[in-house]
Amino acid sequence: MSNRTFTMIKPDATQKGYTGAILDQIIKAGFAVKAMKWTRLTKEQAGLFYEVHKERPFYGELVDFMSSGTIVAAILEKDNAVADFRTLIGATNPAQAAEGTIRKLFAASVGENAVHGSDSDENAAIEGDFFFSKLERF
Ligand code: CMP
């Protein structure tokens, strides 16, 4: 099992000024930052990142939203990183997220849900590679 996962703080959360509070929760939960950047995706880049969802009805909305503002992308390290991070952020839909989770605290809707977390070790590696070169990770 890999001990790394990948996250993005999404445009809704950066725009509302939640970046620092979300990073604080992540670090207090025991994740170490191994790579990080503040950036903005073009529509084409957002479309590529979420290509796995291409056939879903919300794909266009997702791509528009994820390219609508700045994001913070990061590779995080911890034992059992993928599963523990998904527990920390809570359900995709904040209305169903457990109390105290990042999405319960900071997300507005299933589309604008504050953070992304990889769903498997394989996708964590693919998603980290999408954003970071070998020189940008430690
Ligand atoms: P994320 O974990 O980044 O992975 C895929 C994203 O698609 C998900 O978070 C949601 O933000 C988004 N998503 C999932 N379901 C819907 C939906 N029904 N409507 C809009 N966006 C959705």
Side-chain angles (χ1 to χ4, degrees):
M1 182 187 294
S2 162
N3 57 357
R4 289 191 173 201
T5 191
F6 171 81
T7 188
M8 286 183 286
I9 302 176
K10 297 187 180 186
D12 57 319
T14 64
Q15 206 275 330
K16 290 173 183 164
Y18 294 155
T19 302
I22 290 173
L23 289 174
D24 191 49
Q25 296 249 347
I26 291 170
I27 289 160
K28 282 186 175 143
F31 290 87
V33 175
K34 294 290 156 178
M36 179 172 279
K37 68 173 68 164
W38 178 279
T39 187
R40 180 169 178 166
L41 294 169
T42 63
K43 263 194 175 192
E44 190 185 25
Q45 289 166 334
L48 270 176
F49 184 87
Y50 281 112
E51 204 164 23
V52 64
H53 295 304
K54 206 168 186 168
E55 304 307 323
R56 305 278 192 99
F58 57 81
Y59 179 69
E61 190 186 321
L62 176 62
V63 168
D64 284 348
F65 168 61
M66 288 303 296
S67 56
S68 69
T70 51
I71 60 159
V72 175
I75 295 172
L76 304 172
E77 188 171 85
K78 183 185 181 297
D79 288 346
N80 202 31
V82 167
D84 283 3
F85 193 71
R86 288 173 74 81
T87 301
L88 177 69
I89 65 179
T92 303
N93 185 345
Q96 288 152 15
E99 288 300 327
T101 59
I102 288 175
R103 284 176 172 150
K104 186 71 175 184
L105 291 167
F106 300 109
S109 67
V110 68
E112 301 198 3
N113 64 354
V115 281
H116 167 81
S118 304
D119 63 5
S120 65
D121 289 349
E122 186 191 6
N123 283 336
I126 292 168
E127 291 169 1
D129 288 347
F130 186 93
F131 279 90
F132 298 103
S133 72
K134 283 181 184 158
L135 285 172
E136 296 173 310
R137 58 179 80 193
F138 301 95

